[in-house]
Amino acid sequence: QVTLKESGPGILQPSHTLSLTCSFSGFSLSTYGMGVSWIRQPSGKGLEWLASIWWNGNTYNNPSLKSRLTVSKDTSNNQAFLKVTSVDTADTATYYCAHTRLAQIRGTGGYFDYWGQGVMVTVSS
Amino acid sequence: DIVLTQSPVLAVSLGQRATISCRASQSVSISSINLMHWYQQKPGQQPKLLIYRASNLASGIPARFSGSGSGTDFTLTIDPVQADDIAAYYCQQSRESPNTFGAGTKLELK
C-alpha cells in the first residue's frame, strides 16, 4: 500500500526558503519508472506541477518558478524534498507530493497515482 | 508550455451521462500513446487519479468512468452520474515538461 505524507513549516516570511519533506512507504524511489512529484494548489484555484524526481536521479522543474526550486531524495529513508527559495505571498498554497509513474518509455513525465493529504503553507510577514 | 482548456462548469442530472472535455494547445500523443490523464478532486481532499494515458481506468475506480481521445482532444465520461461524483475534474498532460493541468471542470447538479 502506497502512502505519502508531506511536512513543512506551515507559515514563513517573505524572502525566506520553504523546505518541504515527503515521507512515503509502499514503494522504492530506486525502482525503474518511479518518481515523486510536487504539485501545489492555492486555495480555491487549480493545480500547478512544480517538480519531479525520478528513480534514476533525474529531476525536472517548472521553469515558471525560474531557478527557485530544488528537488532531491533520500532513497534509503524513503523521503523526497522540495526547497523553494525567495518565497512571497504568491507561494501560499497547499503543497502535495505524489507518487509518479513514468507514462512512456524514455519519457520525462508521468501521472500521479497516489497523493499525500497535502500541507498548507502560508507566506506572510 | 502546453495549455489545456476545460469548460469551467458542467451541470448534469443524476443518472445521466456527463461528458467533460479537455483540449490541448498541441498534440499530447506520441505514436499510439496518449499522454493525457484525469483526476477527481472533492472539496478538502487531495486529487485522485481516475484515468491514465487517456483511456486506462486507474485501480479501484468504478467502471462508470471512462476516457477517450487522442492528439489534442480528450474526453472524460461518467455514465451514469451518481451523487458521489460531484467534484472538480482536472486533465493533465505528460507529453512535455512542464507537465500542465487544465483549470478544472466543476461538475454540478442540475
Side-chain angles (χ1 to χ4, degrees):
Chain A
Q1 180 190 3
V2 173
T3 64
L4 306 99
K5 186 170 184 179
E6 308 87 349
S7 57
I11 186 166
L12 72 165
Q13 294 183 339
S15 80
H16 286 203
T17 295
L18 170 62
S19 294
L20 297 172
T21 299
C22 177
S23 300
F24 57 84
S25 63
F27 69 98
S28 171
L29 249 184
S30 61
T31 300
Y32 173 85
M34 301 296 158
V36 169
S37 299
W38 292 91
I39 298 126
R40 71 180 179 183
Q41 184 174 39
S43 180
K45 298 192 177 180
L47 300 163
E48 179 183 30
W49 172 79
L50 298 177
S52 298
I53 186 163
W54 292 99
W55 80 99
N56 55 8
N58 286 352
T59 62
Y60 298 89
N61 295 349
N62 194 325
S64 69
L65 279 82
K66 298 184 172 59
S67 56
R68 296 171 53 215
L69 297 176
T70 303
V71 61
S72 59
K73 65 184 173 88
D74 179 347
T75 303
S76 300
N77 289 308
N78 287 343
Q79 291 182 315
F81 310 97
L82 179 72
K83 288 190 189 300
V84 185
T85 60
S86 304
V87 298
D88 69 11
T89 55
D91 296 308
T92 294
T94 296
Y95 286 74
Y96 297 100
C97 64
H99 175 264
T100 307
R101 287 191 190 270
L102 196 64
Q104 87 226 53
I105 296 172
R106 290 191 294 277
T108 62
Y111 55 92
F112 315 117
D113 56 352
Y114 296 94
W115 295 63
Q117 64 191 21
V119 60
M120 192 173 300
V121 174
T122 302
V123 180
S124 174
S125 54
Chain B
D1 297 2
I2 296 177
V3 176
L4 302 180
T5 300
Q6 299 181 247
S7 297
V9 176
L10 178 65
V12 295
S13 302
L14 293 179
Q16 298 303 303
R17 174 184 297 177
T19 302
I20 298 171
S21 64
C22 178
R23 174 163 287 178
S25 59
Q26 62 191 78
S27 176
V28 298
S29 301
I30 298 177
S31 300
S32 59
I33 304 173
N34 301 303
L35 298 169
M36 183 67 78
H37 322 292
W38 290 94
Y39 302 85
Q40 176 194 67
Q41 187 180 32
K42 298 179 181 178
Q45 295 185 16
Q46 66 270 52
K48 177 194 295 185
L49 177 69
L50 299 175
I51 301 286
Y52 62 96
R53 288 197 289 266
S55 60
N56 296 277
L57 198 64
S59 177
I61 302 302
R64 65 178 183 276
F65 291 90
S66 63
S68 63
S70 64
T72 60
D73 292 300
F74 295 85
T75 300
L76 172 71
T77 301
I78 311 170
D79 190 11
V81 170
Q82 298 186 1
D84 189 51
D85 301 334
I86 300 306
Y89 292 85
Y90 295 91
C91 54
Q92 174 243 330
Q93 65 80 23
S94 61
R95 171 64 176 84
E96 283 185 2
S97 188
N99 291 288
T100 49
F101 289 89
T105 297
K106 284 191 179 177
L107 190 65
E108 297 181 346
L109 286 178
K110 245 183 220 179

